[in-house]
Amino acid sequence: MGVAAAIAAPDAALLDLRQPGNVVTALQAAGYKAEMKINKDGEPYVLSATNGESFSVEFYGCDGLKDCKSFQLTSWYKKEPLYTPALTNEWNARNRFLKIAVDSDGDLREFLDATAVGGMTQAQFTDLVEWYSAMDGQLAQFLSTKRDAAGAKPAK
């Protein structure tokens, strides 16, 4: 079987991930819990979890509750003195997919962005979520190592 044939495997049906409900179904098919929610601004998001912690899928460029242009897998860590621009720069310089930032409240946010335009196979979507999960675990270890070095305890 040639490379082109392997790429166009029978599982190659494209998911329309512009529709938040389809993201719920794709997360569930990938083995994750997924629940559709609406935020205080009336925008859709999906609540899920990995590594024992919650994460959400937020949608951008939507037409109401549908036809979103992109989505972001994201979660937060409560404010700690450890969360500085130097820490985020160290992580972001060494990691391609999962990025981190400190918000205006001092909380640490992790995020992975993806386009919803053009569709994605279930295998591609599952791979994306598994990348997020793996990098989330690596971030937790990175933060634990930094806390240990600083003699700090995680925020609750």
Side-chain angles (χ1 to χ4, degrees):
M1 175 185 301
V3 172
I7 292 172
D11 178 25
L14 292 179
L15 305 173
D16 182 1
L17 298 175
R18 297 172 305 136
Q19 314 312 324
N22 292 348
V23 173
V24 169
T25 303
L27 274 165
Q28 291 168 341
Y32 293 84
K33 73 176 190 171
E35 182 180 358
M36 178 72 74
K37 301 276 192 177
I38 304 294
N39 69 19
K40 65 181 179 350
D41 296 325
E43 300 165 333
Y45 72 97
V46 177
L47 186 61
S48 189
T50 190
N51 303 318
E53 298 291 333
S54 295
F55 75 89
S56 61
V57 180
E58 298 179 0
F59 298 90
Y60 296 91
C62 302
D63 181 10
L65 300 177
K66 60 186 174 97
D67 296 329
C68 304
K69 305 291 185 280
S70 62
F71 58 91
Q72 180 182 80
L73 295 97
T74 188
S75 63
W76 293 262
Y77 289 82
K78 296 251 184 227
K79 179 179 179 175
E80 294 182 32
L82 178 70
Y83 303 155
T84 64
L87 176 91
T88 62
N89 287 343
E90 181 180 347
W91 171 268
N92 290 336
R94 296 180 181 169
N95 294 282
R96 281 182 53 206
F97 296 102
L98 186 80
K99 298 301 180 185
I100 63 174
V102 178
D103 69 15
S104 60
D105 295 327
D107 299 327
L108 185 75
R109 184 172 71 92
E110 64 177 323
F111 54 94
L112 186 154
D113 290 294
T115 184
V117 176
M120 205 180 279
T121 66
Q122 180 64 51
Q124 289 169 316
F125 180 78
T126 298
D127 189 54
L128 178 75
V129 177
E130 287 175 356
W131 267 106
Y132 179 82
S133 179
M135 295 298 292
D136 173 76
Q138 289 175 21
L139 175 60
Q141 182 58 48
F142 172 78
L143 295 174
S144 178
T145 299
K146 294 297 183 182
R147 277 188 207 101
D148 289 349
K153 294 191 181 204
K156 298 237 178 193

